[in-house]
Amino acid sequence: MTTENVTLQVVTPPVRLSYPKLAVPKPYRDKGGQEKGAPTYGAELIVSKADVGEFQYKHPQKEVLVDGNMLNFYSQVAKKKWPDLDLEAALSFGALQYSYVDGDKKAAAIAAEKGEKATVDHYKDSFVISSKSLQAYPPLLRLVDESGEEVVISRTGETAVEKIEELFYPGCYVVAELTLKANETTAGKYVTSYLNAIDWFKDGARIGGGGGFGSLLREARKKHRPEVSSHDPTSGMDDLDDEIPF
């Protein structure tokens, strides 16, 4: 195992948003409703399996975005941190966990638990990334307005929370900037997804029904992918230097 910090900054293609905690940080709640841990920002990012090859990573020397595959990014971070680890075996036994799951398996598990009342169609044929940001490092929230200008959305003001929750609703499409980081604790090895920034992209069918403020901005998002911001929740960590040419 290398003792250096191993991170990789990546940008997603348009993905669907689920369980957003973007306006106000909140603690994790277990199945019994008990709050655990420090409050965090975060969201589930639902990635179509057809789009896993549409990710990009930030080349640290050239300061450009390079196309790549989401699944490969996770394995490269793990290989760099634990070069002698059998990744396939570690994943199968739970000794190594990535911050994404197979959406079809997730849908099946929810349906088995909740039965016919379960809302799971949005997870089918996807991978689901669980992303988070520490309370001290809130992710940037952005959109492109009607004039084509990129706007950073503020969390301050009397109506800020309401506006954020109306815009970034479950089911809308976003483009996210993540930092993948290898972590190891007494409980195991992990590749975690930290949420640096999230850009509203377009409307989608609201998960759970209802509408959204995003309908007023349907044509506002002009860019397919945002530039990688300078905001990094793991600031100071080293970049990768293995077979992915960082």
Side-chain angles (χ1 to χ4, degrees), residues 36-66:
K36 293 186 176 181
T40 60
Y41 297 93
E44 282 187 348
L45 306 173
I46 303 174
V47 184
S48 169
K49 288 181 177 177
D51 291 337
V52 294
E54 299 298 319
F55 278 63
Q56 295 179 303
Y57 72 89
K58 182 183 178 183
H59 193 299
Q61 283 82 43
K62 297 182 179 180
E63 291 295 317
V64 296
L65 293 175
V66 182

Side-chain angles (χ1 to χ4, degrees), residues 1 23 27 52 56 61 75 105 110-111 116-117 146 176 215 223 246:
M1 180 188 76
V52 294
Q56 295 179 303
Q61 283 82 43
S75 63
K105 293 180 179 178
I110 294 173
E116 295 181 357
K117 295 182 179 180
E146 291 86 344
S215 60
K223 297 180 182 178
F246 293 92

Side-chain angles (χ1 to χ4, degrees), residues 38-213:
T40 60
Y41 297 93
E44 282 187 348
L45 306 173
I46 303 174
V47 184
S48 169
K49 288 181 177 177
D51 291 337
V52 294
E54 299 298 319
F55 278 63
Q56 295 179 303
Y57 72 89
K58 182 183 178 183
H59 193 299
Q61 283 82 43
K62 297 182 179 180
E63 291 295 317
V64 296
L65 293 175
V66 182
D67 294 340
N69 186 289
M70 180 195 93
L71 306 181
N72 186 49
F73 291 166
Y74 278 87
S75 63
Q76 290 297 323
V77 170
K79 284 180 181 179
K80 177 64 178 179
K81 184 66 175 181
W82 305 288
D84 298 325
L85 184 67
D86 184 330
L87 299 186
E88 185 174 349
L91 287 166
S92 65
F93 287 106
L96 171 64
Q97 296 183 45
Y98 294 156
S99 57
Y100 71 84
V101 297
D102 186 293
D104 292 299
K105 293 180 179 178
K106 184 179 179 74
I110 294 173
E113 178 183 355
K114 297 185 177 181
E116 295 181 357
K117 295 182 179 180
T119 302
V120 296
D121 286 349
H122 54 285
Y123 287 134
K124 294 180 179 179
D125 198 28
S126 73
F127 290 106
V128 183
I129 298 174
S130 294
S131 65
K132 66 179 182 180
S133 293
L134 302 180
Q135 185 172 6
Y137 300 99
L140 294 179
L141 306 176
R142 302 177 297 210
L143 61 83
V144 172
D145 66 17
E146 291 86 344
S147 66
E149 295 296 320
E150 186 170 87
V151 177
V152 175
I153 301 168
S154 173
R155 290 183 174 85
T156 61
E158 293 183 2
T159 62
V161 171
E162 180 182 355
K163 288 181 178 178
I164 290 171
E165 292 179 348
E166 287 178 342
L167 180 62
F168 293 96
Y169 60 90
C172 76
Y173 286 83
V174 299
V175 175
E177 178 195 319
L178 306 170
T179 295
L180 306 186
K181 181 180 182 293
N183 297 298
E184 184 167 2
T185 70
T186 55
K189 299 177 175 65
Y190 307 88
V191 177
T192 304
S193 302
Y194 290 98
L195 185 60
N196 300 0
I198 193 162
D199 288 39
W200 185 87
F201 185 76
K202 68 176 183 178
D203 276 328
R206 178 181 281 268
I207 297 172
F213 177 68

